[in-house]
Amino acid sequence: MSGNTAQNQRNIYRAVIIVWSILFAAMMAWIVVLDLHRAKTLFSENANLHYQQTNDRVHIIESVLEGFAAMVSVTNDLGRERIRNYAQKMLALYPHIFMFEIVEKVPHSLINLFTAHYRKNFYPDFEVKGFSYGADRDWQPVKAVPYHMPIVFMEPFPEDSRKVMGLDLSSNVFFMRALEESEMLNCSISSDPFKLVEGDLAYIIHRPIPSSDKWSQPSPGKYGAEGEFAVLVVRADTLLDMDHHPQPGMRELLYKAEYDEADTRGHLQLHETPATSWLESIIFPRLRLSMMLDSTSQPFTLLVEHQLGWGVISWGKLGITLLIALFTFWVMLVYARLFLRQEMARAERYLQIAKAIIVGLDREGNVNLINHRGCEILGYSEKEILGQNWFETVLPNTSRDMVFRAFQRIIAGEIEPLENYENQILTKKGDVRFIDWNNSIETDAKGVIVGTLSSGQDITERKRAEKDSQRYHQEMTHVMRLGTMGEMATGMAHELNQPLTALVSYCGTAASLVNSLPSPPRQLGEILDRAMEQAHRAGDIIRHLRELVRKEDNSKEAFDLDQAIQNVIIFLKWEVQESGIHVEHLQGGQSHKVNANKIQIEQVLINLMRNSLEAIGDAKIIEGRITIQTRLLPNNMIKVIVTDNGPGIDASMADKIFDQFQTSKKAGMGVGLSLCRSIIEIHGGKLWLDKTHQNGALFSFELPISE
């Protein structure tokens, strides 16, 4: 092996190692990124699921409380089984509701009367008493306060809970604060979290009981109460399901929103598992999502956090990737060893699969190299074309001699080959193809030109598209010219008909006067008759001219209006590029079609765009902008809005901009917008100018959607 070959192979091995290392690192990083993304997605889904569960439960609590308050308002008999049955059914359906209660508001001056009423009518041992929810949690005597809030109804109500009956909630500040706020706002309000006697964390939600139209409240003098509250005691640790097995580093906290998340006084429920190692908090991100529950009466916030760790990594995938990478590295090394021996074969293979035509010619113009693409386009097999004279075989008679003479001068070194050259060739079937060539010369070791090497792209379809575009341009110009002539003829007929009519009337009046004379000149009557005939003839000529230019192609078709706008933008792209104006197309037609004459609608769009281009250009506005927007309207119409940041329409012209022969252009004839409005109205739509638009002009038109 020569030294140069050995150096090349070392370079190849070095490149293999670098490429393999980059790919291996990219694959491993890709797997880790996918794992992190999956963990984030799963975290978001679980957090939103728990949020929805908790949100549903607080809504259920509100609904149950509203139903309970309404039933108490209608029934107003705390001894009836109907209320107790309702409470028992709700407790069975919703286990997170711990207890139903009814609290009455009693002034301190009437507490004895109130107590006597309940001892007589409900519970002989009923009394109003206080209880501390502080550290001691002991029963206390009732203190003198403006109002007492004793519990007068409980469900469930086992015998050992009878002592809670008559408990005065005003003896605890956080209960009283929620009750007063509930009464002031006349809506449901929740208290701060607290511990039940049983040890579970809970909170109370209060609702003032509305008065019933079916039953009037007894006067306060009868037993002292001045109002009632429906109360639900809710177990806080049941709002958030914890039946799943959280991953290490998970933390879920439900707390009252008016408290800071670090303030344990507002905590309703907390569930967390520590991360497995401190290193995880350094390497992996910590996900956090805080969501406010959709409840004004229970303003709670759900906070979910997850410190990602080693558990989110797909170690199996990484192991398989490593094995595949090692195998790939071995294959790449084997391939590198074979590379030098296969270099020529590979070059030949690349030559055959290239998308461009590759042709080599000797000094006489005979084909000594052609690839598969060249044979495919020409229609010859490689055996048929190799050795044949290129110019005699594939060039048309009209250009053969001229191109061959240029080739001979290149071979002789008299001129340089054209790097880019476009000409026609003939296929085996006689079809003409257009080829865009890139040419170079081939030399031997002494520098003598021995031939040429050319690569070419088949641009036949592009050429056809250019011709179609030119034909479209000519057709559009013709249609616009006919439309303009039609509008001019209509305007001329309108303007000239009035003087012609007046002329006929004057001639008739003059003839009548002449005939009334005793001996009128005979020649005068004949002259007036001939004048009237010529005036009628002039009117007929103008009418026939208008009918002639109005005979346009009225064929209609269903087409996508957004696509038509795109075609117009492409049609005007050279004017747009030359002007430096930015054109933006906002599609809102939702692929709905209109049934119309496509050429005429495109004519309207071209006219509006050109008006904007000319207005912006004449005003020399920097960073000119035109926006074309489509909107689908609810009345089965599609609206097209054309706006620009040009000088706008002068107020003096705004009311007559669509009139014939009215224009603000120095060289305009004033029929373009009149023609556009006629076209749109013929198609069942309307075209108008937004006079209120600022900083430019805004034209809009509507067309009905095709059924």
Side-chain angles (χ1 to χ4, degrees), residues 27 85 104 132 184 215 284 307 314 333 354 359 367 379 387 480 503 516 533 547 579 631 634 689:
M27 285 298 297
N85 289 338
E104 294 205 347
S132 171
M184 180 179 65
W215 185 90
F284 294 96
Q307 174 61 61
S314 301
L333 288 178
V359 178
V367 179
M480 293 178 67
L503 178 61
S516 65
E533 290 176 2
E547 292 175 355
S579 66
R631 292 179 183 171
L689 166 69

Side-chain angles (χ1 to χ4, degrees), residues 398-433:
T398 55
S399 60
R400 180 182 303 155
D401 294 339
M402 179 187 67
V403 177
F404 183 65
R405 285 195 297 271
F407 172 78
Q408 289 177 321
R409 295 185 65 188
I410 292 172
I411 294 297
E414 297 177 4
I415 59 174
E416 294 291 329
L418 295 174
E419 292 185 359
N420 295 98
Y421 180 71
E422 181 183 310
N423 72 341
Q424 300 177 5
I425 62 173
L426 294 176
T427 67
K428 186 177 180 180
K429 295 181 179 180
D431 298 330
V432 177
R433 310 294 294 182

